[in-house]
Structure formats: structure tokens, C-alpha cells
Amino acid sequence: MVELAALILPLLASSHAWSVEIQFTGNPPLPVANLVRNPGIESGLGATPEGWSFATATPDNFETGWRDDGRSGKCLWLKAKTGAMSGYWGQVVPVAPGKSYLFKGYYRLGGGKILCYAHSSVALPDGRKAGIDERFYRGTMRGHWLVPVFLSPDSLGGPDPQQWYPFRLVARIPDPMQAVALSLGMYFTAGDSAFDDLWAGEAETELALTVKAAEGETLRRVVVTQVGSAKPVLDSQPLAAGSGAYEAKLEHQPTDAVHEVAVTLGNGEIVKARYPDVQEAK
Ligand SMILES: [Ca+2]
């Protein structure tokens, strides 16, 4: 049974007693756990980062490293000498069937084409198979053998080789799947790439919102948005005159979003609260 984390905010209106009580909770509660071991690639012994291994059919085609020039501290790195074969850093993540999971992280691409994918296959009782295979590709012409002859450096496009960029995958886990492999590597091109700050966990939460006006106050409207997006995920529209309470449930909300509720009181005052209660980066 999942425990509900209550976030109860009796908010003060000017110098009076609180004017509205807002309860904003999630099932599962936020933030949800990161299921990736050693997600920042910081721990390990010798030349090997704990929890991660490199796999390819042709090891001679690759150089790999546990390097210091990460997005945070250290990172996973690999170089494919030719496009003859793919190769991936990876680890297996535990999952529960029937839920959606989010797999995300950051990559830096020096050249060639990366593939980040979440994949697994299980046998069903009737002999058929159930699987998932969610993929994120990103490529660049930088470093390609045609480049010096036919293309000017300005026309290369693709990601800046010095920058870290996010990737994001979501997969619904079929029964009876218990584990998913997260693989990060080069996809049949020569080039190099790095990966850092990986995250895997439940993708969705159900939010429950309860708003209660204090004695003598009324509610006019309740709007919920995700921070960073202007489009409401919930809008009560004008409530009936004299409304003192409002309740709503929001299913299938992303676990990596911050939700903000804006409550307009009868006197026009707007009171806001966030779940989870985090401060915006300045
Ligand atoms: Ca790191």
C-alpha cells in the first residue's frame, strides 16, 4: 500500500488568519525514487563505475571510459572507431508491471549517432512474448568522413559537442515484466558520446487536490498548471456563488513536473501553492 504524503498548507492572507487551506497530495507521493544505481556515475572501483557495464559484439571497435568531464563530476564515455557495430553502456532497472516508467538522463555527442533505449522481453504463459523497446536517437555529421570535402563546418547542425542535452523515454510495463534494460551508446556510426545523471522511476502520479475557504471566505475559481507551461491541466471555471470547498483528482500526471494551484478567492485575492513544494531555480 502506498503511503500518501500530505502537503497541508494553511496560507496566510495579509495580517488576518488563514483564508484558504490547500491540500495537494500525490499517489505515489512525489518525488518518486530514482531506481538507477549509481545514477551520477560517481562511485566505483578502479576503472569501472559501479552498476554499469559495457556490451558490444565487437569490443575491438570501441574505447570506453569513466571520465571526469561529466555534467556532474564523472560520466560514462565511449568511442566507436568505425560504424561496423553498435555498443552500449547499460544496467538493468527493477520495475513493476502495469505501471508506466520514465527513463531519462543527459548525453553529450562528439560525433556519430547515439541510441538511448529502454528494452525488455518476457515470455507469457501461452508461449508468446511481451516486450518494450522505446528508443531515442540523436545524430550529427560532425566527424563524418564526408565533412571536410563536401560540407562546411557551419552547415553541420546537430548538437553542440560541448553541451549536455536531455533525453526522455516513457514505457508502459506489461505483465509479468520485472526488469528493464537501459542502454546508452553508439548506433552503427563512428563517433563518441558521454552520458550522465541518469534517472528511472514511476512516470505517473495521481494528484488529489482539496481546497477549503476559511469561515467568511468564498472560492471563485481553482486553476492547476504545470510549472513551465501556461496551459492549465485543470480549470474549475467560475464556481457557484458562495462556494466554500473544492475537490479534484488529476490522473496520469508526470512525476517530474511541479504542479501549481492558483485559488481565486471571492474578494479577488489569488493564493498559490505548489506540489511538490520546491523553489524555482533562479
Ligand atoms: Ca556525474
Side-chain angles (χ1 to χ4, degrees), residues 30-74:
L30 303 181
V32 293
N34 186 356
L35 303 173
V36 174
R37 296 191 311 285
N38 192 17
I41 334 292
E42 304 305 322
S43 62
L45 287 172
T48 309
E50 178 201 342
W52 295 94
S53 57
F54 186 78
T56 179
T58 56
D60 289 350
N61 191 44
F62 289 92
E63 293 173 27
T64 61
W66 181 28
R67 302 216 319 198
D68 288 328
D69 56 342
R71 181 175 177 269
S72 62
K74 290 172 173 275

mmCIF file of all heavy atoms in Angstrom, residues 30-74:
data_model
loop_
_atom_site.group_PDB
_atom_site.id
_atom_site.type_symbol
_atom_site.label_atom_id
_atom_site.label_comp_id
_atom_site.label_asym_id
_atom_site.label_seq_id
_atom_site.Cartn_x
_atom_site.Cartn_y
_atom_site.Cartn_z
ATOM 1 N N LEU A 30 5.315 12.446 -4.360
ATOM 2 C CA LEU A 30 6.492 12.991 -5.052
ATOM 3 C C LEU A 30 7.481 13.564 -4.038
ATOM 4 O O LEU A 30 7.046 14.087 -3.021
ATOM 5 C CB LEU A 30 6.065 14.090 -6.026
ATOM 6 C CG LEU A 30 5.037 13.662 -7.082
ATOM 7 C CD1 LEU A 30 4.730 14.836 -8.002
ATOM 8 C CD2 LEU A 30 5.528 12.468 -7.882
ATOM 9 N N PRO A 31 8.778 13.514 -4.320
ATOM 10 C CA PRO A 31 9.359 12.920 -5.532
ATOM 11 C C PRO A 31 9.421 11.395 -5.434
ATOM 12 O O PRO A 31 9.580 10.853 -4.353
ATOM 13 C CB PRO A 31 10.766 13.514 -5.557
ATOM 14 C CG PRO A 31 11.100 13.771 -4.121
ATOM 15 C CD PRO A 31 9.797 14.135 -3.450
ATOM 16 N N VAL A 32 9.287 10.704 -6.581
ATOM 17 C CA VAL A 32 9.411 9.249 -6.590
ATOM 18 C C VAL A 32 10.899 8.869 -6.655
ATOM 19 O O VAL A 32 11.734 9.658 -7.084
ATOM 20 C CB VAL A 32 8.638 8.608 -7.765
ATOM 21 C CG1 VAL A 32 7.148 8.800 -7.592
ATOM 22 C CG2 VAL A 32 9.098 9.159 -9.095
ATOM 23 N N ALA A 33 11.193 7.636 -6.230
ATOM 24 C CA ALA A 33 12.590 7.189 -6.124
ATOM 25 C C ALA A 33 13.228 6.997 -7.494
ATOM 26 O O ALA A 33 12.573 6.534 -8.437
ATOM 27 C CB ALA A 33 12.648 5.882 -5.353
ATOM 28 N N ASN A 34 14.505 7.344 -7.600
ATOM 29 C CA ASN A 34 15.310 7.015 -8.774
ATOM 30 C C ASN A 34 15.805 5.577 -8.618
ATOM 31 O O ASN A 34 16.492 5.252 -7.656
ATOM 32 C CB ASN A 34 16.498 7.977 -8.877
ATOM 33 C CG ASN A 34 17.299 7.773 -10.156
ATOM 34 O OD1 ASN A 34 17.017 6.870 -10.939
ATOM 35 N ND2 ASN A 34 18.303 8.611 -10.350
ATOM 36 N N LEU A 35 15.443 4.711 -9.567
ATOM 37 C CA LEU A 35 15.771 3.288 -9.475
ATOM 38 C C LEU A 35 17.126 2.947 -10.095
ATOM 39 O O LEU A 35 17.567 1.800 -10.032
ATOM 40 C CB LEU A 35 14.680 2.466 -10.160
ATOM 41 C CG LEU A 35 13.264 2.707 -9.607
ATOM 42 C CD1 LEU A 35 12.236 1.984 -10.464
ATOM 43 C CD2 LEU A 35 13.175 2.247 -8.160
ATOM 44 N N VAL A 36 17.774 3.934 -10.710
ATOM 45 C CA VAL A 36 19.092 3.689 -11.312
ATOM 46 C C VAL A 36 20.144 3.635 -10.211
ATOM 47 O O VAL A 36 20.172 4.502 -9.337
ATOM 48 C CB VAL A 36 19.435 4.806 -12.323
ATOM 49 C CG1 VAL A 36 20.863 4.635 -12.853
ATOM 50 C CG2 VAL A 36 18.437 4.811 -13.478
ATOM 51 N N ARG A 37 20.990 2.591 -10.248
ATOM 52 C CA ARG A 37 22.116 2.521 -9.309
ATOM 53 C C ARG A 37 23.242 3.426 -9.810
ATOM 54 O O ARG A 37 23.510 3.483 -11.011
ATOM 55 C CB ARG A 37 22.639 1.085 -9.187
ATOM 56 C CG ARG A 37 21.629 0.112 -8.599
ATOM 57 C CD ARG A 37 22.268 -1.241 -8.247
ATOM 58 N NE ARG A 37 23.081 -1.819 -9.310
ATOM 59 C CZ ARG A 37 22.593 -2.390 -10.405
ATOM 60 N NH1 ARG A 37 21.289 -2.448 -10.598
ATOM 61 N NH2 ARG A 37 23.406 -2.891 -11.313
ATOM 62 N N ASN A 38 23.876 4.103 -8.900
ATOM 63 C CA ASN A 38 24.990 4.984 -9.275
ATOM 64 C C ASN A 38 24.586 5.916 -10.422
ATOM 65 O O ASN A 38 25.262 5.979 -11.464
ATOM 66 C CB ASN A 38 26.209 4.123 -9.651
ATOM 67 C CG ASN A 38 27.486 4.928 -9.768
ATOM 68 O OD1 ASN A 38 27.570 6.064 -9.281
ATOM 69 N ND2 ASN A 38 28.480 4.360 -10.416
ATOM 70 N N PRO A 39 23.486 6.649 -10.277
ATOM 71 C CA PRO A 39 22.926 7.410 -11.400
ATOM 72 C C PRO A 39 23.817 8.545 -11.895
ATOM 73 O O PRO A 39 23.772 8.890 -13.064
ATOM 74 C CB PRO A 39 21.612 7.968 -10.832
ATOM 75 C CG PRO A 39 21.808 7.995 -9.355
ATOM 76 C CD PRO A 39 22.682 6.805 -9.052
ATOM 77 N N GLY A 40 24.644 9.090 -11.014
ATOM 78 C CA GLY A 40 25.552 10.168 -11.420
ATOM 79 C C GLY A 40 26.918 9.667 -11.824
ATOM 80 O O GLY A 40 27.813 10.449 -12.133
ATOM 81 N N ILE A 41 27.103 8.327 -11.837
ATOM 82 C CA ILE A 41 28.347 7.673 -12.271
ATOM 83 C C ILE A 41 29.521 8.106 -11.381
ATOM 84 O O ILE A 41 30.664 8.187 -11.853
ATOM 85 C CB ILE A 41 28.685 7.966 -13.768
ATOM 86 C CG1 ILE A 41 27.444 8.288 -14.591
ATOM 87 C CG2 ILE A 41 29.450 6.806 -14.382
ATOM 88 C CD1 ILE A 41 26.478 7.182 -14.817
ATOM 89 N N GLU A 42 29.240 8.417 -10.132
ATOM 90 C CA GLU A 42 30.310 8.931 -9.269
ATOM 91 C C GLU A 42 31.044 7.838 -8.498
ATOM 92 O O GLU A 42 32.198 8.016 -8.119
ATOM 93 C CB GLU A 42 29.727 9.944 -8.267
ATOM 94 C CG GLU A 42 28.982 11.112 -8.902
ATOM 95 C CD GLU A 42 29.820 11.866 -9.918
ATOM 96 O OE1 GLU A 42 31.034 12.030 -9.676
ATOM 97 O OE2 GLU A 42 29.274 12.271 -10.954
ATOM 98 N N SER A 43 30.387 6.680 -8.224
ATOM 99 C CA SER A 43 31.029 5.661 -7.383
ATOM 100 C C SER A 43 31.503 4.469 -8.199
ATOM 101 O O SER A 43 30.962 4.163 -9.262
ATOM 102 C CB SER A 43 30.071 5.200 -6.274
ATOM 103 O OG SER A 43 28.924 4.604 -6.840
ATOM 104 N N GLY A 44 32.559 3.807 -7.672
ATOM 105 C CA GLY A 44 33.109 2.643 -8.352
ATOM 106 C C GLY A 44 34.525 2.383 -7.899
ATOM 107 O O GLY A 44 35.094 3.159 -7.125
ATOM 108 N N LEU A 45 35.082 1.272 -8.391
ATOM 109 C CA LEU A 45 36.449 0.905 -8.033
ATOM 110 C C LEU A 45 37.275 0.776 -9.302
ATOM 111 O O LEU A 45 36.785 0.286 -10.320
ATOM 112 C CB LEU A 45 36.471 -0.436 -7.298
ATOM 113 C CG LEU A 45 35.938 -0.421 -5.851
ATOM 114 C CD1 LEU A 45 35.848 -1.846 -5.323
ATOM 115 C CD2 LEU A 45 36.826 0.436 -4.958
ATOM 116 N N GLY A 46 38.520 1.196 -9.229
ATOM 117 C CA GLY A 46 39.406 1.061 -10.387
ATOM 118 C C GLY A 46 38.853 1.830 -11.565
ATOM 119 O O GLY A 46 38.496 3.000 -11.447
ATOM 120 N N ALA A 47 38.770 1.151 -12.715
ATOM 121 C CA ALA A 47 38.343 1.824 -13.942
ATOM 122 C C ALA A 47 36.867 1.588 -14.236
ATOM 123 O O ALA A 47 36.383 1.945 -15.301
ATOM 124 C CB ALA A 47 39.178 1.320 -15.117
ATOM 125 N N THR A 48 36.151 0.973 -13.286
ATOM 126 C CA THR A 48 34.780 0.552 -13.583
ATOM 127 C C THR A 48 33.770 1.261 -12.700
ATOM 128 O O THR A 48 33.824 1.152 -11.475
ATOM 129 C CB THR A 48 34.640 -0.976 -13.357
ATOM 130 O OG1 THR A 48 35.691 -1.630 -14.061
ATOM 131 C CG2 THR A 48 33.310 -1.476 -13.862
ATOM 132 N N PRO A 49 32.820 1.984 -13.293
ATOM 133 C CA PRO A 49 31.758 2.595 -12.492
ATOM 134 C C PRO A 49 30.795 1.518 -11.977
ATOM 135 O O PRO A 49 30.371 0.647 -12.746
ATOM 136 C CB PRO A 49 31.072 3.539 -13.469
ATOM 137 C CG PRO A 49 31.367 2.995 -14.821
ATOM 138 C CD PRO A 49 32.690 2.298 -14.726
ATOM 139 N N GLU A 50 30.489 1.583 -10.700
ATOM 140 C CA GLU A 50 29.595 0.612 -10.074
ATOM 141 C C GLU A 50 28.232 0.605 -10.768
ATOM 142 O O GLU A 50 27.680 1.662 -11.069
ATOM 143 C CB GLU A 50 29.427 1.011 -8.604
ATOM 144 C CG GLU A 50 28.490 0.137 -7.823
ATOM 145 C CD GLU A 50 27.968 0.858 -6.576
ATOM 146 O OE1 GLU A 50 28.579 1.853 -6.156
ATOM 147 O OE2 GLU A 50 26.929 0.414 -6.065
ATOM 148 N N GLY A 51 27.708 -0.600 -11.016
ATOM 149 C CA GLY A 51 26.353 -0.732 -11.536
ATOM 150 C C GLY A 51 26.227 -0.656 -13.042
ATOM 151 O O GLY A 51 25.172 -0.934 -13.583
ATOM 152 N N TRP A 52 27.310 -0.288 -13.738
ATOM 153 C CA TRP A 52 27.260 -0.114 -15.183
ATOM 154 C C TRP A 52 28.215 -1.082 -15.859
ATOM 155 O O TRP A 52 29.296 -1.350 -15.349
ATOM 156 C CB TRP A 52 27.662 1.310 -15.569
ATOM 157 C CG TRP A 52 26.693 2.333 -15.066
ATOM 158 C CD1 TRP A 52 26.779 3.024 -13.897
ATOM 159 C CD2 TRP A 52 25.486 2.753 -15.699
ATOM 160 N NE1 TRP A 52 25.699 3.852 -13.763
ATOM 161 C CE2 TRP A 52 24.886 3.712 -14.862
ATOM 162 C CE3 TRP A 52 24.853 2.405 -16.899
ATOM 163 C CZ2 TRP A 52 23.682 4.329 -15.181
ATOM 164 C CZ3 TRP A 52 23.662 3.027 -17.223
ATOM 165 C CH2 TRP A 52 23.081 3.977 -16.363
ATOM 166 N N SER A 53 27.817 -1.593 -17.044
ATOM 167 C CA SER A 53 28.735 -2.429 -17.817
ATOM 168 C C SER A 53 28.585 -2.082 -19.294
ATOM 169 O O SER A 53 27.559 -1.549 -19.718
ATOM 170 C CB SER A 53 28.441 -3.913 -17.583
ATOM 171 O OG SER A 53 27.103 -4.199 -17.906
ATOM 172 N N PHE A 54 29.624 -2.390 -20.061
ATOM 173 C CA PHE A 54 29.620 -2.082 -21.490
ATOM 174 C C PHE A 54 29.449 -3.364 -22.281
ATOM 175 O O PHE A 54 30.097 -4.375 -21.977
ATOM 176 C CB PHE A 54 30.924 -1.386 -21.888
ATOM 177 C CG PHE A 54 30.907 -0.917 -23.311
ATOM 178 C CD1 PHE A 54 30.231 0.233 -23.656
ATOM 179 C CD2 PHE A 54 31.545 -1.646 -24.302
ATOM 180 C CE1 PHE A 54 30.188 0.671 -24.976
ATOM 181 C CE2 PHE A 54 31.506 -1.224 -25.626
ATOM 182 C CZ PHE A 54 30.825 -0.065 -25.963
ATOM 183 N N ALA A 55 28.577 -3.323 -23.284
ATOM 184 C CA ALA A 55 28.298 -4.520 -24.078
ATOM 185 C C ALA A 55 28.363 -4.212 -25.562
ATOM 186 O O ALA A 55 27.806 -3.203 -26.019
ATOM 187 C CB ALA A 55 26.908 -5.066 -23.742
ATOM 188 N N THR A 56 29.050 -5.072 -26.306
ATOM 189 C CA THR A 56 29.093 -4.984 -27.771
ATOM 190 C C THR A 56 29.514 -6.342 -28.321
ATOM 191 O O THR A 56 30.146 -7.135 -27.623
ATOM 192 C CB THR A 56 30.103 -3.921 -28.253
ATOM 193 O OG1 THR A 56 30.117 -3.897 -29.694
ATOM 194 C CG2 THR A 56 31.503 -4.215 -27.749
ATOM 195 N N ALA A 57 29.167 -6.577 -29.597
ATOM 196 C CA ALA A 57 29.590 -7.818 -30.243
ATOM 197 C C ALA A 57 31.032 -7.732 -30.729
ATOM 198 O O ALA A 57 31.653 -8.756 -31.003
ATOM 199 C CB ALA A 57 28.651 -8.150 -31.410
ATOM 200 N N THR A 58 31.566 -6.517 -30.865
ATOM 201 C CA THR A 58 32.948 -6.357 -31.350
ATOM 202 C C THR A 58 33.713 -5.370 -30.467
ATOM 203 O O THR A 58 33.804 -4.168 -30.789
ATOM 204 C CB THR A 58 32.981 -5.861 -32.812
ATOM 205 O OG1 THR A 58 32.236 -4.642 -32.875
ATOM 206 C CG2 THR A 58 32.415 -6.874 -33.763
ATOM 207 N N PRO A 59 34.259 -5.839 -29.347
ATOM 208 C CA PRO A 59 34.972 -4.950 -28.413
ATOM 209 C C PRO A 59 36.108 -4.170 -29.068
ATOM 210 O O PRO A 59 36.398 -3.045 -28.636
ATOM 211 C CB PRO A 59 35.511 -5.920 -27.351
ATOM 212 C CG PRO A 59 34.607 -7.110 -27.420
ATOM 213 C CD PRO A 59 34.184 -7.217 -28.860
ATOM 214 N N ASP A 60 36.762 -4.729 -30.102
ATOM 215 C CA ASP A 60 37.881 -4.035 -30.737
ATOM 216 C C ASP A 60 37.465 -2.711 -31.381
ATOM 217 O O ASP A 60 38.296 -1.852 -31.657
ATOM 218 C CB ASP A 60 38.519 -4.917 -31.830
ATOM 219 C CG ASP A 60 39.284 -6.082 -31.223
ATOM 220 O OD1 ASP A 60 39.465 -6.071 -29.987
ATOM 221 O OD2 ASP A 60 39.666 -6.992 -31.988
ATOM 222 N N ASN A 61 36.165 -2.557 -31.650
ATOM 223 C CA ASN A 61 35.672 -1.349 -32.321
ATOM 224 C C ASN A 61 35.493 -0.172 -31.351
ATOM 225 O O ASN A 61 35.192 0.932 -31.796
ATOM 226 C CB ASN A 61 34.337 -1.660 -32.998
ATOM 227 C CG ASN A 61 33.886 -0.556 -33.938
ATOM 228 O OD1 ASN A 61 34.694 -0.026 -34.703
ATOM 229 N ND2 ASN A 61 32.614 -0.181 -33.864
ATOM 230 N N PHE A 62 35.673 -0.436 -30.052
ATOM 231 C CA PHE A 62 35.319 0.596 -29.068
ATOM 232 C C PHE A 62 36.441 0.913 -28.088
ATOM 233 O O PHE A 62 37.237 0.046 -27.732
ATOM 234 C CB PHE A 62 34.085 0.143 -28.265
ATOM 235 C CG PHE A 62 32.835 0.152 -29.075
ATOM 236 C CD1 PHE A 62 32.426 -1.000 -29.750
ATOM 237 C CD2 PHE A 62 32.080 1.304 -29.209
ATOM 238 C CE1 PHE A 62 31.285 -0.998 -30.522
ATOM 239 C CE2 PHE A 62 30.929 1.311 -29.976
ATOM 240 C CZ PHE A 62 30.531 0.163 -30.635
ATOM 241 N N GLU A 63 36.434 2.179 -27.657
ATOM 242 C CA GLU A 63 37.138 2.576 -26.444
ATOM 243 C C GLU A 63 36.079 3.047 -25.465
ATOM 244 O O GLU A 63 35.107 3.696 -25.873
ATOM 245 C CB GLU A 63 38.098 3.743 -26.717
ATOM 246 C CG GLU A 63 39.270 3.399 -27.616
ATOM 247 C CD GLU A 63 40.061 4.653 -27.974
ATOM 248 O OE1 GLU A 63 40.050 5.630 -27.184
ATOM 249 O OE2 GLU A 63 40.667 4.662 -29.056
ATOM 250 N N THR A 64 36.258 2.722 -24.200
ATOM 251 C CA THR A 64 35.294 3.187 -23.208
ATOM 252 C C THR A 64 36.042 3.838 -22.054
ATOM 253 O O THR A 64 37.240 3.601 -21.857
ATOM 254 C CB THR A 64 34.448 2.026 -22.645
ATOM 255 O OG1 THR A 64 35.313 1.090 -21.998
ATOM 256 C CG2 THR A 64 33.667 1.327 -23.743
ATOM 257 N N GLY A 65 35.341 4.655 -21.307
ATOM 258 C CA GLY A 65 35.980 5.314 -20.181
ATOM 259 C C GLY A 65 34.987 5.776 -19.136
ATOM 260 O O GLY A 65 33.795 5.947 -19.411
ATOM 261 N N TRP A 66 35.551 5.942 -17.938
ATOM 262 C CA TRP A 66 34.815 6.521 -16.814
ATOM 263 C C TRP A 66 35.515 7.834 -16.538
ATOM 264 O O TRP A 66 36.563 7.863 -15.899
ATOM 265 C CB TRP A 66 34.876 5.542 -15.632
ATOM 266 C CG TRP A 66 34.144 5.987 -14.417
ATOM 267 C CD1 TRP A 66 33.061 6.797 -14.362
ATOM 268 C CD2 TRP A 66 34.447 5.631 -13.066
ATOM 269 N NE1 TRP A 66 32.664 6.975 -13.073
ATOM 270 C CE2 TRP A 66 33.484 6.264 -12.252
ATOM 271 C CE3 TRP A 66 35.426 4.833 -12.458
ATOM 272 C CZ2 TRP A 66 33.487 6.133 -10.864
ATOM 273 C CZ3 TRP A 66 35.421 4.700 -11.087
ATOM 274 C CH2 TRP A 66 34.462 5.333 -10.301
ATOM 275 N N ARG A 67 34.973 8.899 -17.107
ATOM 276 C CA ARG A 67 35.747 10.131 -17.214
ATOM 277 C C ARG A 67 35.299 11.211 -16.246
ATOM 278 O O ARG A 67 34.211 11.163 -15.708
ATOM 279 C CB ARG A 67 35.655 10.670 -18.654
ATOM 280 C CG ARG A 67 36.145 9.666 -19.682
ATOM 281 C CD ARG A 67 36.870 10.272 -20.830
ATOM 282 N NE ARG A 67 36.301 11.507 -21.338
ATOM 283 C CZ ARG A 67 36.583 11.993 -22.542
ATOM 284 N NH1 ARG A 67 37.382 11.326 -23.354
ATOM 285 N NH2 ARG A 67 36.072 13.145 -22.944
ATOM 286 N N ASP A 68 36.174 12.208 -16.099
ATOM 287 C CA ASP A 68 35.929 13.293 -15.137
ATOM 288 C C ASP A 68 35.140 14.468 -15.719
ATOM 289 O O ASP A 68 34.680 15.316 -14.972
ATOM 290 C CB ASP A 68 37.258 13.836 -14.616
ATOM 291 C CG ASP A 68 37.935 12.863 -13.674
ATOM 292 O OD1 ASP A 68 37.204 12.142 -12.968
ATOM 293 O OD2 ASP A 68 39.175 12.812 -13.662
ATOM 294 N N ASP A 69 34.991 14.538 -17.035
ATOM 295 C CA ASP A 69 34.355 15.728 -17.619
ATOM 296 C C ASP A 69 32.850 15.545 -17.767
ATOM 297 O O ASP A 69 32.273 15.744 -18.827
ATOM 298 C CB ASP A 69 34.991 16.083 -18.962
ATOM 299 C CG ASP A 69 34.947 14.926 -19.956
ATOM 300 O OD1 ASP A 69 34.747 13.761 -19.527
ATOM 301 O OD2 ASP A 69 35.109 15.184 -21.162
ATOM 302 N N GLY A 70 32.210 15.143 -16.666
ATOM 303 C CA GLY A 70 30.772 14.884 -16.697
ATOM 304 C C GLY A 70 29.944 16.140 -16.552
ATOM 305 O O GLY A 70 30.457 17.235 -16.335
ATOM 306 N N ARG A 71 28.648 15.955 -16.668
ATOM 307 C CA ARG A 71 27.710 17.050 -16.381
ATOM 308 C C ARG A 71 27.761 17.347 -14.887
ATOM 309 O O ARG A 71 27.679 18.480 -14.458
ATOM 310 C CB ARG A 71 26.298 16.642 -16.801
ATOM 311 C CG ARG A 71 25.247 17.694 -16.566
ATOM 312 C CD ARG A 71 23.902 17.245 -17.134
ATOM 313 N NE ARG A 71 22.872 18.233 -16.838
ATOM 314 C CZ ARG A 71 22.116 18.203 -15.757
ATOM 315 N NH1 ARG A 71 22.255 17.224 -14.870
ATOM 316 N NH2 ARG A 71 21.206 19.131 -15.548
ATOM 317 N N SER A 72 27.902 16.262 -14.099
ATOM 318 C CA SER A 72 28.194 16.366 -12.674
ATOM 319 C C SER A 72 29.361 15.427 -12.428
ATOM 320 O O SER A 72 29.271 14.240 -12.737
ATOM 321 C CB SER A 72 26.984 15.912 -11.856
ATOM 322 O OG SER A 72 26.705 14.545 -12.124
ATOM 323 N N GLY A 73 30.499 15.917 -11.964
ATOM 324 C CA GLY A 73 31.613 15.029 -11.658
ATOM 325 C C GLY A 73 31.984 14.120 -12.819
ATOM 326 O O GLY A 73 32.328 14.578 -13.902
ATOM 327 N N LYS A 74 31.843 12.794 -12.582
ATOM 328 C CA LYS A 74 32.246 11.830 -13.602
ATOM 329 C C LYS A 74 31.085 11.451 -14.514
ATOM 330 O O LYS A 74 29.914 11.705 -14.207
ATOM 331 C CB LYS A 74 32.786 10.564 -12.918
ATOM 332 C CG LYS A 74 34.126 10.766 -12.216
ATOM 333 C CD LYS A 74 34.493 9.547 -11.399
ATOM 334 C CE LYS A 74 35.891 9.653 -10.834
ATOM 335 N NZ LYS A 74 36.935 9.201 -11.776
#
